[in-house]
Amino acid sequence: MTTPAIEIRDLSKSFRAHAGWGQLFRPGRQQPALAGITMTVPAGQIFGLLGPNGAGKTTLIKVLAGLILPDGGQASINGKDVVSESLAVRQSIGVVYGDERSFYWRLSLLENLRFYASLYRLPASLAQARIADLLARLDLQSVARVRMHALSSGMKQRAAIARGLIHDPPVLFLDEPTRALDPVATHELHRLVRERVADQGRTVLIATNTMREAEELCDRVTLINHGANIFTGSIAQLRERTHDAIVYRLVIGGGQDGWPRGLRAIAGIQGVSVDSVDSVGEAVRQLEVTMDPKASALPIMMRYLVEQGAEIQTCTRQARTLDEIFRELVQESGREVLQVAR
Ligand SMILES: Nc1ncnc2c1ncn2[C@@H]1O[C@H](COP(=O)(O)OP(=O)(O)OP(=O)(O)O)[C@@H](O)[C@H]1O
Ligand SMILES: [Mg+2]
């Protein structure tokens, strides 16, 4: 069996909460930022770490990168333990943050990349070839000699990715890489990550709080909230997991009195809301009908409406957006821990 790129078992980390200025010398309570995360990231995937603000995404990346020590559990990168083999782990990872501030702003991009290559002690000829390759990969050749402070946010972010790849690590962490970017720069960055960063078997772990980013980029995601993972799978599985109700929207004209009551009585129909809309002088009603997906109530509903003399003008199934699913799962996990699909 091949070694997974990232293996995490029951990882936990607490921070001491600030007790307030009034209690300067009293230690605050320990607050868990990671509360038993378990997950496996196979090599070569773009894997999403999806969660709302404060879920523990950055903390998890910092533990994996050896920047902070966990309190309990284990994590390894390509089979190497992030605590006891942290030097080897650092050689095999690159980390890129969304609010990139650690460049030397008065130096050009090229000078910055040369400096970071020297920190990894790359031989000069290798560094030169690597930098040329990265500038080409990330479409940065035209700005190589421009000082960092003059680059747009989109270019700075691509530059940060180039820097994260300077030692050619097999695993790259991107912490909310499009946080400061407009939709055009975001789209461009996604394309580059898919086509030019996650290639040659490289594994990319991307922390994000937007479902759209996860959907555009990720093969699989793990959804975390309050430091615990509440779902792991593909975005398609995430959609399925939460298909608890189907909603149809209909526009109908006419119909005998009392049909909404009859509709509510059909087995499998969980809710009916009716709005009157006046369309070119004709009384038309807009319905929203919620159904249990396990009961096949649609044909029964249609037959009933026709029998009642209603003229069905349109009937459309409402797909819930991924953001709605995300919000729902996060709210649910605030109350109880969901069954984790591993
Ligand atoms: N150095 C620290 N000291 C104290 N608490 C911390 C520290 N770092 C993180 N935390 C707390 O740990 C929890 C998780 O924070 P983390 O930054 O990992 O979340 P996140 O998912 O990255 O959120 P965001 O989307 O806002 O970046 C939060 O409650 C945060 O306040
Ligand atoms: Mg974060």
Side-chain angles (χ1 to χ4, degrees):
M1 211 179 80
T2 51
T3 313
I6 305 170
E7 181 89 72
I8 300 170
R9 289 280 161 266
D10 211 18
L11 203 65
S12 63
K13 173 73 190 175
S14 291
F15 290 109
R16 205 174 280 286
H18 195 280
W21 293 113
Q23 303 180 336
L24 202 54
F25 299 107
R26 188 167 334 144
R29 281 184 305 116
Q30 288 282 348
Q31 269 192 347
L34 300 179
I37 297 237
T38 294
M39 61 191 245
T40 303
V41 179
Q45 284 199 352
I46 306 185
F47 195 94
L49 197 58
L50 190 59
N53 293 142
K57 305 180 293 295
T58 301
T59 305
L60 180 58
I61 288 181
K62 285 183 173 166
V63 171
L64 293 176
L67 299 174
I68 52 179
L69 290 173
D71 298 336
Q74 282 110 38
S76 59
I77 310 278
N78 289 330
K80 301 259 188 302
D81 189 90
V82 298
V83 177
S84 61
E85 296 169 280
S86 65
L87 272 181
V89 165
R90 272 178 215 198
Q91 281 296 329
S92 61
I93 58 162
V95 188
V96 180
Y97 294 101
D99 50 351
E100 202 40 74
R101 274 177 274 170
S102 51
F103 279 107
Y104 291 90
W105 299 112
R106 286 162 182 272
L107 299 184
S108 70
L109 168 59
L110 190 58
E111 288 162 335
N112 267 282
L113 291 178
R114 282 185 186 143
F115 169 72
Y116 285 103
S118 72
L119 289 187
Y120 281 99
R121 298 177 194 278
L122 296 190
S125 58
L126 177 60
Q128 202 176 342
R130 185 76 49 76
I131 290 170
D133 174 55
L134 286 170
L135 290 173
R137 266 172 196 264
L138 290 148
D139 288 344
L140 288 167
Q141 283 150 315
S142 61
V143 293
R145 291 179 193 280
V146 174
R147 286 185 186 190
M148 282 307 298
H149 69 78
L151 297 187
S152 69
S153 299
M155 283 177 178
K156 279 180 192 146
Q157 198 54 18
R158 274 148 48 191
I161 294 178
R163 188 184 63 188
L165 294 175
I166 199 86
H167 53 303
D168 198 20
V171 177
L172 183 71
F173 299 126
L174 300 176
D175 191 357
E176 297 191 43
T178 59
R179 187 176 214 160
L181 306 192
D182 66 34
V184 175
T186 297
H187 184 74
E188 185 56 16
L189 192 97
H190 285 170
R191 186 182 68 78
L192 291 173
V193 168
R194 267 195 318 266
E195 295 174 6
R196 317 241 188 109
V197 173
D199 60 350
Q200 297 165 352
R202 196 183 329 266
T203 308
V204 179
L205 182 78
I206 171 166
T208 178
N209 52 28
T210 72
M211 286 294 263
R212 177 185 283 244
E213 181 148 273
E215 188 171 36
E216 278 188 18
L217 278 182
C218 302
D219 303 308
R220 278 163 74 78
V221 298
T222 194
L223 182 58
I224 67 172
N225 197 25
H226 299 311
N229 38 357
I230 53 177
F231 171 86
T232 301
S234 64
I235 290 284
Q237 286 168 332
L238 182 57
R239 279 189 190 279
E240 268 169 36
R241 157 74 182 77
T242 50
H243 265 174
D244 49 351
I246 300 172
V247 176
Y248 284 97
R249 198 165 286 164
L250 294 93
V251 175
I252 64 168
Q256 295 171 21
D257 288 348
W259 60 259
R261 221 175 317 119
L263 212 54
R264 288 189 183 100
I266 294 173
I269 290 189
Q270 296 167 329
V272 178
S273 73
V274 186
D275 272 334
S276 290
V277 240
D278 220 344
S279 138
V280 228
E282 192 191 344
V284 184
R285 281 173 170 145
Q286 195 166 295
L287 296 184
E288 212 170 80
V289 182
T290 311
M291 288 181 189
D292 177 354
K294 289 186 240 31
S296 42
L298 182 65
I300 302 165
M301 171 179 84
M302 293 305 223
R303 197 174 326 126
Y304 174 79
L305 285 172
V306 172
E307 279 167 10
Q308 294 297 306
E311 182 204 333
I312 303 168
Q313 296 179 359
T314 63
C315 174
T316 46
R317 183 173 164 162
Q318 304 300 298
R320 284 189 308 157
T321 66
L322 277 168
D323 281 329
E324 284 169 332
I325 295 173
F326 179 52
R327 268 202 302 278
E328 183 185 303
L329 277 175
V330 166
Q331 274 163 9
E332 241 179 272
S333 70
R335 292 196 300 268
E336 55 179 307
V337 175
L338 297 175
Q339 192 191 345
V340 179
R342 276 172 192 156

mmCIF file of all heavy atoms in Angstrom, residues 57-58 175-176 179, ligand 2:
data_model
loop_
_atom_site.group_PDB
_atom_site.id
_atom_site.type_symbol
_atom_site.label_atom_id
_atom_site.label_comp_id
_atom_site.label_asym_id
_atom_site.label_seq_id
_atom_site.Cartn_x
_atom_site.Cartn_y
_atom_site.Cartn_z
ATOM 1 N N LYS A 57 -8.574 25.504 11.078
ATOM 2 C CA LYS A 57 -7.851 25.186 9.843
ATOM 3 C C LYS A 57 -6.382 25.610 9.923
ATOM 4 O O LYS A 57 -5.489 24.820 9.641
ATOM 5 C CB LYS A 57 -8.522 25.888 8.635
ATOM 6 C CG LYS A 57 -9.988 25.585 8.486
ATOM 7 C CD LYS A 57 -10.593 26.305 7.293
ATOM 8 C CE LYS A 57 -10.654 27.812 7.382
ATOM 9 N NZ LYS A 57 -11.532 28.363 8.432
ATOM 10 N N THR A 58 -6.167 26.882 10.299
ATOM 11 C CA THR A 58 -4.788 27.384 10.352
ATOM 12 C C THR A 58 -3.992 26.651 11.423
ATOM 13 O O THR A 58 -2.819 26.315 11.223
ATOM 14 C CB THR A 58 -4.796 28.911 10.603
ATOM 15 O OG1 THR A 58 -5.523 29.512 9.534
ATOM 16 C CG2 THR A 58 -3.390 29.484 10.636
ATOM 17 N N ASP A 175 -3.190 28.223 2.735
ATOM 18 C CA ASP A 175 -4.164 28.645 3.744
ATOM 19 C C ASP A 175 -4.965 29.832 3.199
ATOM 20 O O ASP A 175 -4.458 30.950 3.152
ATOM 21 C CB ASP A 175 -3.432 29.020 5.045
ATOM 22 C CG ASP A 175 -4.412 29.203 6.200
ATOM 23 O OD1 ASP A 175 -5.635 29.098 5.980
ATOM 24 O OD2 ASP A 175 -3.950 29.460 7.322
ATOM 25 N N GLU A 176 -6.176 29.570 2.785
ATOM 26 C CA GLU A 176 -7.066 30.584 2.200
ATOM 27 C C GLU A 176 -6.335 31.446 1.174
ATOM 28 O O GLU A 176 -6.196 32.664 1.337
ATOM 29 C CB GLU A 176 -7.675 31.450 3.300
ATOM 30 C CG GLU A 176 -8.542 30.623 4.234
ATOM 31 C CD GLU A 176 -9.364 31.477 5.180
ATOM 32 O OE1 GLU A 176 -9.922 32.482 4.703
ATOM 33 O OE2 GLU A 176 -9.441 31.134 6.361
ATOM 34 N N ARG A 179 -8.091 34.692 -0.292
ATOM 35 C CA ARG A 179 -8.763 35.554 0.689
ATOM 36 C C ARG A 179 -8.825 37.022 0.241
ATOM 37 O O ARG A 179 -9.836 37.677 0.397
ATOM 38 C CB ARG A 179 -7.979 35.452 2.001
ATOM 39 C CG ARG A 179 -8.604 36.127 3.152
ATOM 40 C CD ARG A 179 -7.776 35.862 4.388
ATOM 41 N NE ARG A 179 -8.640 35.762 5.537
ATOM 42 C CZ ARG A 179 -8.311 35.179 6.671
ATOM 43 N NH1 ARG A 179 -7.135 34.640 6.809
ATOM 44 N NH2 ARG A 179 -9.157 35.135 7.653
HETATM 45 MG MG MG B 2 -7.169 30.520 9.352
#
